[in-house]
Amino acid sequence: MAQAPGPRRVRVLGTGGTIAGAAAEAGDVLGYTAGQIGVQQLLGGIAVPGVALQAEQVANIDSKDMDWAVWQALAGRCAHWLAQDAVDGLVITHGTDTLEETAFFLHHVLDARKPVVLTCAMRPATAPAPDGPQNLRDAIAVAATPQARGVLAVCAARVHVGAELRKSHTYRLDAFSAGDHGLFGDMEEGRLRRLREWPRSAASARRLQAVLAAPQPPRVEIIGSHAGASGRLVDLLLRERQAQAPDAVQGLVLAGTGNGTLHHALEAAALRAQAAGVTVWRSTRCAAGRVLPHAGDRLPGAGDWTPVQARVALQLALLEGRRDAAL
Ligand code: SIN
């Protein structure tokens, strides 16, 4: 007689966020502190049939304070667990505020042949009706799905490709969209209804090693174009470079108007920066769409990456000694 398959084995890595947030008053869903409750405690009372869970705390922070050291630790632990035969998938609990940056980073750094599923909450764990437990259950179900792969994110029963999503609402429970890309899937009765192919990562072991070995990432700043914009911020950054400051700027992402267009004063300063050796990419401040290339562009466009995604992409490119907007 054939043996029944064993449970799917999912590791849950905690990094903090509202999903781990606590308020002094249970009814307070605004005045709470993110990153207070440990991931083991978050898993208390969460059971997904056919899934064996193990927890690990990587950090416990408000994700607005996300930094390179936490990303390095997280990438290192994900790579470690993905390489274990005894692990079928990973879930990461994370704050919503920079979830899109972490998801984009992990998509481009991990060779995720198994699923890595980020999840979050918009209400703290102490709220009368927290959304975190259901999001966590859904993320575990996705991570336990046979043949699943790639970096994904689950929030409010909607599943997004990690490299595509962006936070699109300040307080709704369904706070994410994937711009023009559309949904990856829906959660229906605790199961994934997949609408597209599993995402494939373009990451390499070499890139992961470069990330883990870098004490600091190349400094890349984001500057917006707007009515009345000037080039003064760019010039201040250039002055630091001229003074040979150790962490002087190496890259700039300009959040342009419309199709990545720039106020003429900002554009002039950006070209000065480029001439001085800074890598400058143009992104758009529009909520959807992409920067279409045009013959004669002097500053490359960053395609459909949001400014914060383009910043991560430029850091990774510079780490690998590249300047082109392709990962
Ligand atoms: C955070 O990003 O850590 C706080 C906000 C949230 O999770 O919604």
Side-chain angles (χ1 to χ4, degrees):
M1 220 169 79
Q3 269 197 327
R8 306 286 293 168
R9 295 143 308 171
V10 173
R11 289 263 157 184
V12 184
L13 308 182
T15 70
T18 293
I19 192 168
E25 311 251 338
D28 192 348
V29 293
L30 288 180
Y32 63 90
T33 308
Q36 297 298 296
I37 297 173
V39 64
Q40 189 70 58
Q41 199 180 331
L42 293 184
L43 284 179
I46 304 263
V48 178
V51 184
L53 296 170
Q54 295 226 4
E56 177 173 316
Q57 197 78 50
V58 176
N60 210 356
I61 60 168
D62 187 322
S63 82
K64 71 178 174 56
D65 300 324
M66 185 53 69
D67 60 19
W68 185 249
V70 176
W71 274 357
Q72 278 180 316
L74 186 59
R77 295 313 289 159
C78 287
H80 169 79
W81 289 121
L82 289 173
Q84 310 299 314
D85 289 340
V87 173
D88 296 308
L90 304 180
V91 166
I92 299 169
T93 56
H94 198 287
T96 62
D97 284 345
T98 58
L99 191 141
E100 69 197 79
E101 288 164 73
T102 300
F104 185 91
F105 168 78
L106 292 177
H107 174 88
H108 288 96
V109 163
L110 296 175
D111 184 9
R113 295 169 198 215
K114 297 175 187 172
V116 178
V117 187
L118 291 103
T119 195
C120 57
M122 292 297 284
R123 292 183 186 145
T126 51
D131 51 331
Q134 187 58 49
N135 287 345
L136 192 45
R137 259 183 225 108
D138 288 344
I140 292 165
V142 174
T145 303
Q147 274 89 51
R149 56 177 297 148
V151 177
L152 299 158
V154 177
C155 182
R158 286 148 67 93
V159 187
H160 301 279
V161 171
E164 297 172 354
L165 91 160
R166 66 245 1 231
K167 190 168 181 183
S168 53
H169 204 278
T170 54
Y171 61 81
R172 282 191 195 140
L173 299 190
D174 183 7
F176 290 90
S177 86
D180 293 339
H181 298 284
L183 271 186
F184 173 75
D186 274 311
M187 295 309 293
E188 292 180 341
E189 303 291 319
R191 295 169 75 106
L192 171 67
R193 181 174 71 120
R194 186 162 58 84
L195 303 172
R196 295 161 51 191
E197 284 306 310
W198 294 106
R200 281 184 187 275
S201 137
S204 63
R206 214 164 132 222
R207 182 179 294 156
L208 176 66
Q209 287 319 316
V211 163
L212 297 181
Q216 286 298 324
R219 181 163 163 210
V220 177
E221 297 286 351
I222 300 174
I223 295 180
S225 191
H226 48 81
S230 78
R232 289 169 66 181
L233 287 176
V234 177
D235 288 332
L236 282 172
L237 290 168
L238 281 183
R239 247 173 262 151
E240 282 185 13
R241 262 177 88 89
Q242 281 148 10
Q244 299 187 332
D247 65 340
V249 75
Q250 296 184 44
L252 281 179
V253 171
L254 303 175
T257 37
N259 187 33
T261 50
L262 302 172
H263 187 289
H264 65 84
L266 177 59
E267 183 170 30
L271 289 168
R272 285 197 290 281
Q274 190 180 50
V278 178
T279 304
V280 186
W281 292 355
R282 283 175 306 115
S283 171
T284 177
R285 60 184 216 185
C286 290
R290 67 193 182 104
V291 176
L292 290 169
H294 184 260
D297 280 343
R298 290 192 289 174
L299 298 167
D304 63 6
W305 293 330
T306 63
V308 293
Q309 289 171 337
R311 176 178 173 276
V312 176
L314 183 45
Q315 286 181 316
L316 295 177
L318 290 170
L319 259 185
E320 292 174 339
R322 292 185 301 100
R323 293 167 153 245
D324 52 301
L327 277 180

